[in-house]
Structures are given as C-alpha cells and as structure tokens.
Amino acid sequence: MKKSLVLLFLIAIIVYSSGFKVEEKKLEEPVPFPEGYRAWKHVKSGYIGPESIGFTLFGGFHHIYANELAIQGYTKGIFPEGSVLVFDVISAKESKGVIEESSRSVVDVMIKDSLKYAATDGWGFERFKGNSTTERILDANFRSACVNCHKKNKDFVFSEYRK
C-alpha cells in the first residue's frame, strides 16, 4: 500500500513537472461594447411598465438598434455572422401624466459569431451597466438564462423590424 502511494505521488510529480495540463473549458471571448450603435438602424422601441414581470430587468423604455448585417437578418429571417443587436434600456420618469426617458439602465448586446460563441449556440451576449462601455454585469448564470430564453425564437431574436 505504501509503495502504491509513493508510486502515485512520483507519477503526479512527473506529470506536473512535464507541463501536462488538463484541458480547461475555453472561456468565450468577451462581447465588445458596440461603439456608435445609436447611428445604426433603429428597429423599434417599447415601454415595459411596473406591472410587467420583466420590469426588474428591463423596466422603462427600450430601443433596439441593429447593424447592417442584422438588418439583413430581419429581412431574410436568418441573421448572418457579424450581426449585432443592441437593446438600450432607459429608465422612465413621470411628471403630471407625461412619461419621459430618464437615465440609461443597461445596454444589452447580442453578436452572432459561430466560432467565438460556439458554447452559446453562435451568439454572444453581454450587458453593460448604465452609460459604461466597460462595466460588464452579465455573469455565467444570467448568460445561460439569455441563451435558454432566446433559443426559443427564430435564430435567437425576439424582435421584428418595424416597417
């Protein structure tokens, strides 16, 4: 028994010192902030009020923007590689019966790249806090929820282009 433990220990030292590594799950490349997205095509806008189940995450106004490749996806039904969609969420304020935009809550981003985001079925997801272009607030669990919800839709996209 003692010889077996010593042998096992020596094998472990040899394997460790040889540089052998157990392959780790490759982390996906982070989704970049979509600079200049407000100059892209405006797909549609909406409002999610306090009585909605989605209010906690998406409450207020939202504006959806798409780059040119994503616009092709809206017209053809399948989004090509490089498609980027932005869900810009702005909180709302009411005064004397008028509801207006207030501050930005989050900027949600989807990008289609089957190689970079193979683990999430070809789409990368990110959520940027407020007006930050660097503060990412989407953890692995939330990202998984994004994938599971979006995959119920045609090519992962909920919205339709407003004509």
Side-chain angles (χ1 to χ4, degrees):
M1 174 80 164
K2 191 173 183 180
K3 285 183 181 182
S4 296
L5 287 175
V6 170
L7 184 59
L8 186 60
F9 180 72
L10 288 174
I11 291 172
I13 290 174
I14 292 168
V15 168
Y16 178 77
S17 63
S18 71
F20 175 82
K21 294 181 182 175
V22 174
E23 189 173 325
E24 296 176 12
K25 184 178 177 185
K26 184 181 175 191
L27 295 175
E28 291 183 349
E29 184 174 317
V31 171
F33 185 84
E35 298 290 344
Y37 71 88
R38 293 197 61 217
W40 296 356
K41 293 266 184 170
H42 177 256
V43 174
K44 69 188 320 179
S45 293
Y47 176 77
I48 298 176
E51 53 287 331
S52 170
I53 193 169
F55 184 76
T56 304
L57 294 173
F58 309 109
F61 293 96
H62 60 270
H63 307 288
I64 301 172
Y65 298 93
N67 69 358
E68 286 300 322
L69 290 169
I71 293 299
Q72 291 175 28
Y74 280 113
T75 58
K76 295 179 182 175
I78 300 293
F79 288 79
E81 296 288 308
S83 293
V84 182
L85 298 168
V86 177
F87 191 72
D88 192 8
V89 182
I90 313 290
S91 62
K93 63 180 178 180
E94 182 182 357
S95 177
K96 299 179 183 175
V98 176
I99 300 173
E100 295 181 317
E101 291 184 349
S102 184
S103 59
R104 176 169 285 109
S105 301
V106 294
V107 174
D108 289 342
V109 182
M110 289 176 60
I111 182 169
K112 188 167 187 182
D113 187 318
S114 298
L115 296 176
K116 288 181 186 174
Y117 307 112
T120 50
D121 294 329
W123 283 94
F125 295 87
E126 191 55 79
R127 175 168 259 224
F128 294 90
K129 185 176 182 180
N131 288 320
S132 176
T133 61
T134 58
E135 189 175 352
R136 299 164 186 275
I137 56 175
L138 196 62
D139 64 19
N141 290 333
F142 198 125
R143 184 171 285 108
S144 179
C146 292
V147 172
N148 289 332
C149 193
H150 278 268
K151 73 170 146 187
K152 297 173 189 173
N153 296 284
K154 186 174 183 178
D155 205 8
F156 278 64
V157 178
F158 287 105
S159 57
E160 294 179 6
Y161 190 62
R162 188 184 73 193
K163 297 176 179 165

